[in-house]
Structures are given as C-alpha cells and as structure tokens.
Amino acid sequence: MTHEQGRLGGEYHGTQGPLFWLAVRTAMLTALTLGVYRFWAKTRIRRYVWSSVGADGDAFEYTGTGLEKFLGFLAAIVILAVYLGAVQMILFYFGLTLFGAAETQAELFLQFGAFGITSLAILPLVFFAQYRARRYRLARTRWRGLRFGAEAAAWGYVWRAMIYWAIALLSLGLLWPLMTFRLAQYKADRSWYGNARFRQNGRWTGLYAAMKQLFVALGLMVLAAIFAAIQLYVLAGLWATLGAIWFSVGLLSYRVNAFVYLTENLVLEVPGADDVTFGTSPQTWNVLWQMVGGSMAVFAATGLVFGLLGAGPLLLIGLEAVPLHVLIVPSVLLYMLALAISGALWLIWVAQPILRHVVTRCTAQGTGALNGVAQRAGDSGADAEGFADALDIGGAF
C-alpha cells in the first residue's frame, strides 16, 4: 500500500501456493467431518485473505472464529425449522401442501401455489441473512487495530429490499439502478470504521451509465425479434445468441461500473476532520477474462485431476487385481481429494486474481484524517452468519 500526501493505494500480498494448500487441507477436513469443519475452514481462508490486503503497511485482520459461526448456524437452523414449520401448518390449514403426488390439475395448481408462498416466505429471511452476514464480517474486521462495524438494522433492510426488488421487477429492470443505489446507501450509511461513519453520496440516476451494455443487449434482442417477425430465422437466431452473450457481459459490466460509481461517491466522516474519499478503477474486461479464462482452466484441470486419480482404481478393477469392496474407501477419498483440488484451483485462478485486481485499483484520499479515528465498541456476534450459512448465501469468502 503506497502512502503519498494523504493518499493510499491498495496492494494485495496473497500468493497462490499457500492459499491453494490451505484450501485443499480445509476442504478435505470438511469432507471427513461430513461438513462440520466448513465453519472453521471458511474462517481460516478469510484470515489468510484479510491479512493479504494491506493499507499503508498495515494488513487487515479477521477476528471471527469457527465456533461462533457453528453455534450461529445451529441457532439459525432451529429458528428456520420453527418458522417454516409454522408456514406449512398455515398452508395445510388452507388446504395447500408441498407434499404428496398431485392427482388432478387443481391439486397440481395448489402445489405450485404452496411452493410460491413458501418461497416468498423465505425471501425476507434471505435479505435478513445478507444484512446480518455483512454486519458480522464488518464487526470481525480490523485495520490498524480499529474495528469496523454496522448498526443493527437488518429488518429495516428487509422491507426496503422487498419493496425495491418489486419495483425493479415490475419496471422490467428499468428501475434496477434505483434498487442498487438505495440498498447500497442504506448499508453504507449504517457502517462505521471506529467512530467514523460512512456516507453514500451520489444519485441513483448516476447508475444508468453503468447499464450501457445492457441497453446494447436489449437492442440486439429487438433486432432478433424483427428478423423473426419477417421469418429470417437464421439471422434471428444469430442476433438472439449474440444478444444473450452480450446480456451476460452487460450484467458483469453493470456490477463493475456500479461498484465504481458507488465507491467514488462514498465518504468516511471523521469527527473533527475532513472527510476521507475513495476511488477505484477495475476494468470489466479484466474481470471477465479472469472469470472466463480462469473457469475454463479450472474445468480443464479438474477433468485431468479426476482422470488421473480415477485411473488407478479403474485399472485395478478392470484387471481384477483387487476386490471391488477393498477399493470403495480409497476411491471415495480420492474423489474427495479431487473435489478439494477443484475448489482450491477456483480460489487461486478465479477468486484471488479478481480480488487482487479490484484491491490494487482502490484508493483513498485525505487519509491523514484517519489519525483522529477512535476505537469503536465491539459488536455482538449476533447469529455469526448462521442464517447466511443455513440459506447457502455465504459468498466466495
């Protein structure tokens, strides 16, 4: 991290080797413990990643523990079971059920209705889990010994997320920037570094520039529809395919450019000092290359690993050199090892390069004011991402 006249520029110090072997070891332990160790595995990987991000010679620190994540998960499972059980009892009272084979179209329709209601019932918990998981990560992150934190405002985020998602969907995506900005603003305005508070400036209409590639994809789809209408189906198919590909790229471009706009309009309000401002300049095509190229490399390497590790047992079975039952346990262990290697390769060839690219393109200005930031009182672990783990929305790290 460089420091020039109150300006910090990011550096990432992580390397492939240590992260790869850490990921393989923790994945194998997770498999051998039937998934129980995954809470400690994620904690160990986060500690490595956090400590690899530097700021003016000081690395970030992750202080979460696997035990608190495990206990939070158990508590969340109990609450979810009671909540979903209550939902199913209400559905049953009204003659709706998810279980049993439908014998008529009416029963099939009622089952679809029950499934939709159950999904809507879970949706608030998804938003609740997202906010609480973010709050937990901030509360367990330190820099220069000072804690980050977020206010206990998960339910306020839930109803806002429900409303803005509905607006975005009903507008067929045209008001997607409104949802993106308002939810990001809600989270940022309730986040802290020590006793300094973040504030999200800007306007939601400023995110429309980030949708440029999505509008291009829409134009290609319209062109495909025109060709289909005049029965030029080959050209329609070609333009529709190009539009679908462009749409996928457009979604990534929107996320990257929305991140840029939000970061450049984010400030840290330090008591008694000037605000600290931020900047970033990740490139969409760099992120796309890391995602596509890295994923292809992982796919190819994974196929090779499965082939090499599976060749020995298959050869022994074919030659009848060893009884089949003797090879069951070794084969399962080799399969778990192959999966662990695959996951580790994704971390070092996809996730880490993208993180390095983003971190090294982030800057902060007016950082002399950070010397006036005081320590923040520690936040409770809450459910320690328990709901996020139970609903499988924990994220890459």
Side-chain angles (χ1 to χ4, degrees), residues 12 27 60 65 74 87 113 116 126 143 146 173 182 188 219 226 254 281 302 306 311 320 354-355 359 369 379 390:
Y12 184 81
F60 284 77
T65 67
L74 294 180
V87 171
V126 171
W143 182 60
L146 299 178
R182 294 301 185 200
I226 294 174
Y254 176 74
S281 58
T302 298
F306 272 98
E320 298 182 353
I354 292 175
L355 180 61
V359 168
D379 294 331

Side-chain angles (χ1 to χ4, degrees), residues 72 76 79-80 121-136 152-162 187 382-388 391 393:
I79 295 173
L80 282 172
I122 293 176
L123 191 58
L125 294 180
V126 171
F127 295 132
F128 178 84
Q130 289 175 342
Y131 187 92
R132 289 281 283 261
R134 179 179 180 275
R135 184 185 176 216
Y136 172 76
W155 288 115
Y157 180 79
V158 169
W159 69 261
R160 285 173 174 83
M162 296 285 287
K187 291 183 289 186
D383 56 77
E385 291 186 312
F387 283 97
L391 295 170
I393 54 174

Side-chain angles (χ1 to χ4, degrees), residues 177-199:
L178 174 65
M179 179 194 69
T180 302
F181 183 83
R182 294 301 185 200
L183 295 183
Q185 186 179 50
Y186 183 86
K187 291 183 289 186
D189 289 353
R190 289 158 182 79
S191 301
W192 299 77
Y193 169 59
N195 66 339
R197 184 172 186 167
F198 288 94
R199 185 179 76 249

Side-chain angles (χ1 to χ4, degrees), residues 79-290:
I79 295 173
L80 282 172
V82 173
Y83 175 74
L84 292 178
V87 171
Q88 292 307 307
M89 289 180 63
I90 295 172
L91 290 175
F92 183 76
Y93 178 79
F94 288 100
L96 300 174
T97 179
L98 293 173
F99 310 104
E103 297 180 357
T104 65
Q105 287 188 344
E107 290 180 354
L108 182 62
F109 178 78
L110 291 176
Q111 279 194 342
F112 275 115
F115 179 79
I117 293 172
T118 303
S119 300
L120 287 176
I122 293 176
L123 191 58
L125 294 180
V126 171
F127 295 132
F128 178 84
Q130 289 175 342
Y131 187 92
R132 289 281 283 261
R134 179 179 180 275
R135 184 185 176 216
Y136 172 76
R137 288 193 295 269
L138 285 174
R140 295 298 181 264
T141 300
R142 296 186 183 190
W143 182 60
R144 290 181 174 177
L146 299 178
R147 304 182 188 92
F148 288 83
E151 298 173 8
W155 288 115
Y157 180 79
V158 169
W159 69 261
R160 285 173 174 83
M162 296 285 287
I163 291 175
Y164 284 122
W165 268 94
I167 290 174
L169 293 175
L170 291 174
S171 67
L172 301 180
L174 292 178
L175 293 179
W176 202 272
L178 174 65
M179 179 194 69
T180 302
F181 183 83
R182 294 301 185 200
L183 295 183
Q185 186 179 50
Y186 183 86
K187 291 183 289 186
D189 289 353
R190 289 158 182 79
S191 301
W192 299 77
Y193 169 59
N195 66 339
R197 184 172 186 167
F198 288 94
R199 185 179 76 249
Q200 183 66 64
N201 293 331
R203 297 172 60 87
W204 69 270
T205 52
L207 289 176
Y208 273 110
M211 296 186 70
K212 179 173 62 176
Q213 301 303 328
L214 289 174
F215 289 133
V216 172
L218 177 62
L220 294 174
M221 292 293 190
V222 170
L223 190 59
I226 294 174
F227 280 122
I230 59 177
Q231 299 183 354
L232 295 176
Y233 298 117
V234 174
L235 289 177
L238 290 174
W239 284 108
T241 301
L242 180 59
I245 296 173
W246 208 295
F247 181 78
S248 300
V249 175
L251 286 176
L252 177 62
S253 175
Y254 176 74
R255 293 191 63 181
V256 172
N257 288 289
F259 172 74
V260 171
Y261 180 83
L262 293 170
T263 301
E264 291 180 344
N265 286 278
L266 183 68
V267 300
L268 180 65
E269 299 174 327
V270 180
D274 293 334
D275 294 343
V276 178
T277 60
F278 302 91
T280 188
S281 58
Q283 297 176 342
T284 299
W285 293 110
N286 187 292
V287 176
L288 178 64
W289 166 247
Q290 294 296 344

